[in-house]
Amino acid sequence: QSVLTQPPSASGTPGQRVTISCSGSSSNIGSNIVNWYQQLPRTAPKLLIYSNNQRPSGVPDRFSGSKSGTSASLAISGLQSEDEADYYCATWDDSLNAHVFGTGTKVTVL
Amino acid sequence: QITLRESGPTLVKPTQTLTLTCSFSGFSLSTSGVGVGWIRQPPGKALEWLAVIYWDDDERFSPSLKTRLTITKDTSKNQVVLTMTNMDPVDTATYYCAHGDYINYGVYFDYWGQGTLVTVSS
């Protein structure tokens, strides 16, 4: 049972904008940076967004992250078929003294 | 170029101890701000963070698994070893190691190994 809650699924047609939420608390998202990971089928996770809204080199600018209070969001604009994957938010929790991952969201391109 | 690779047994029996080795290249675990973490993923389930060891020997563990985990680093060999005692079938998962960048208010894992599937069964 994760302390970071994400919707189980999200979907959109090619070209649409999809947003994934990550809900936490003052001891995790409210106090620390949020990172996002993309996991394509049968592959290792890949860092997509770090430090709330920073993209690593090579990540398309279609992906963007934001944080407000105890929640964070990942937006995918101009959805493409290759974006079909599982997405996880993650952060540090000061109360648990542990790194925590979100419950994960499966994005489907219709 | 940073790479990591996990190695260890693919099958362990219940109650046995699992030992996994993360061999890496392209960075040094003696560099300030660097860490190596372990994350696992049961089949069809979400990612679960297990542990991290930092350049300064600081170690952090998942609270729910803390009593069963140890993590060590060998800077000269560029390896990090994770041991988990008293294995149970629920510990069946793909185990990943990852390079961590420690920054103010958190750490992120920017390079991952391919993962190794460990099955716990008698």
Side-chain angles (χ1 to χ4, degrees), chain B residues 28-82:
Chain B
S28 172
L29 202 35
S30 60
T31 300
S32 178
V34 173
V36 171
W38 285 92
I39 301 100
R40 71 179 180 180
Q41 185 173 37
K45 296 189 177 182
L47 299 171
E48 178 185 16
W49 175 77
L50 300 178
V52 64
I53 187 166
Y54 290 110
W55 79 100
D56 59 357
D57 295 327
D58 188 19
E59 303 166 3
R60 303 296 173 100
F61 298 96
S62 165
S64 62
L65 295 168
K66 185 172 184 175
T67 60
R68 299 173 53 203
L69 295 174
T70 58
I71 190 169
T72 59
K73 65 182 176 76
D74 187 327
T75 305
S76 64
K77 290 185 178 180
N78 282 349
Q79 290 182 334
V80 170
V81 176
L82 180 79

Side-chain angles (χ1 to χ4, degrees), chain A residues 83-101:
Chain A
D83 299 333
E84 198 159 274
D86 293 324
Y87 293 84
Y88 295 91
C89 58
T91 186
W92 185 262
D93 190 293
D94 294 333
S95 295
L96 296 174
N97 196 24
H99 196 75
V100 289
F101 285 95

Side-chain angles (χ1 to χ4, degrees), chain A residues 32-33 35 37 39 44 88 97, chain B residues 41 49 60 63 105 107 109 113:
Chain A
N32 298 295
I33 61 166
N35 310 306
Y37 299 88
Q39 187 175 30
Y88 295 91
N97 196 24
Chain B
Q41 185 173 37
W49 175 77
R60 303 296 173 100
Y105 307 112
V107 62
F109 298 107

Side-chain angles (χ1 to χ4, degrees), chain A residues 25-37:
Chain A
S25 68
S26 58
S27 66
N28 44 65
I29 293 178
S31 308
N32 298 295
I33 61 166
V34 177
N35 310 306
W36 290 88
Y37 299 88

Side-chain angles (χ1 to χ4, degrees), chain A residues 13-79:
Chain A
T13 57
Q16 276 191 329
R17 175 183 171 93
V18 169
T19 301
I20 300 168
S21 62
C22 177
S23 178
S25 68
S26 58
S27 66
N28 44 65
I29 293 178
S31 308
N32 298 295
I33 61 166
V34 177
N35 310 306
W36 290 88
Y37 299 88
Q38 177 193 57
Q39 187 175 30
L40 297 171
R42 297 173 296 282
T43 67
K46 167 191 170 184
L47 180 67
L48 199 63
I49 297 288
Y50 69 96
S51 196
N52 303 327
N53 54 19
Q54 303 298 302
R55 281 187 307 276
S57 175
V59 173
D61 59 7
R62 304 185 291 104
F63 295 93
S64 62
S66 63
K67 187 181 96 165
S68 178
T70 59
S71 294
S73 294
L74 173 72
I76 311 173
S77 59
L79 192 65

